Amino acid sequence: MVRITPLELIGSDDRGYTCEYFHERMGRHLVIFRKAGTISGNHYHKGASLSKQPEILILLSGKAILRYGNIQERAIIRVELDEPCKMEIDPYVWHELETKTDCTLLELGSLSEHSADTYRV
């Protein structure tokens, strides 16, 4: 349904740290900046766009809460995200992201693909 993978820490020093991950998609992507205390999402995708099979988001900085669940069920799963990580969200999974701090995310897909395959519950 949803897979969260911490990014691989490959080094750190006084300047900060460096992570690495495999980038599986080409084309246009979104760089998303969200202010603390805001909610994004509150929708699901059917997978009509290739970038939604699954939807892939990279939390680059900040702390957030991801809530998600299968649109056919009432159960909502809540996951706290407090490190750089990759989120893979399958089709027909309702999801929303609440930011606890200012956050920066990378979405592996374009705005047109996102808009063409977004549904509200």
Side-chain angles (χ1 to χ4, degrees):
M1 188 171 353
V2 172
R3 291 160 300 290
I4 299 174
T5 307
L7 298 186
E8 179 184 353
L9 179 66
I10 62 171
S12 66
D13 60 25
D14 294 341
R15 300 170 295 167
Y17 59 94
T18 302
C19 294
E20 184 176 73
Y21 78 101
F22 176 73
H23 190 80
E24 56 270 278
R25 295 194 174 152
M26 301 292 285
R28 299 185 65 82
H29 303 300
L30 303 174
V31 180
I32 302 165
F33 303 92
R34 292 292 180 258
K35 295 179 181 179
T38 61
I39 295 176
S40 298
N42 191 22
H43 60 243
Y44 69 96
H45 310 285
K46 293 182 179 179
S49 296
L50 288 177
S51 69
K52 302 302 176 191
Q53 295 183 27
E55 178 174 23
I56 298 176
L57 297 149
I58 309 291
L59 177 62
L60 298 171
S61 67
K63 297 176 188 259
I65 299 166
L66 176 66
R67 285 185 281 275
Y68 67 91
N70 184 307
I71 63 167
Q72 301 296 325
E73 301 170 8
R74 291 182 178 249
I76 301 294
I77 298 166
R78 180 185 185 275
V79 179
E80 293 207 21
L81 307 170
D82 61 359
E83 58 183 287
C85 64
K86 175 178 162 180
M87 295 167 268
E88 298 178 70
I89 304 169
D90 289 334
Y92 295 96
V93 175
W94 170 87
H95 53 281
E96 72 177 16
L97 188 75
E98 179 181 353
T99 56
K100 295 172 66 178
T101 65
D102 289 353
C103 290
T104 304
L105 300 106
L106 177 64
E107 181 173 334
L108 303 188
S110 69
L111 183 58
S112 61
E113 290 172 309
H114 181 82
S115 298
D117 192 10
T118 296
Y119 302 87
R120 306 273 176 205
V121 181

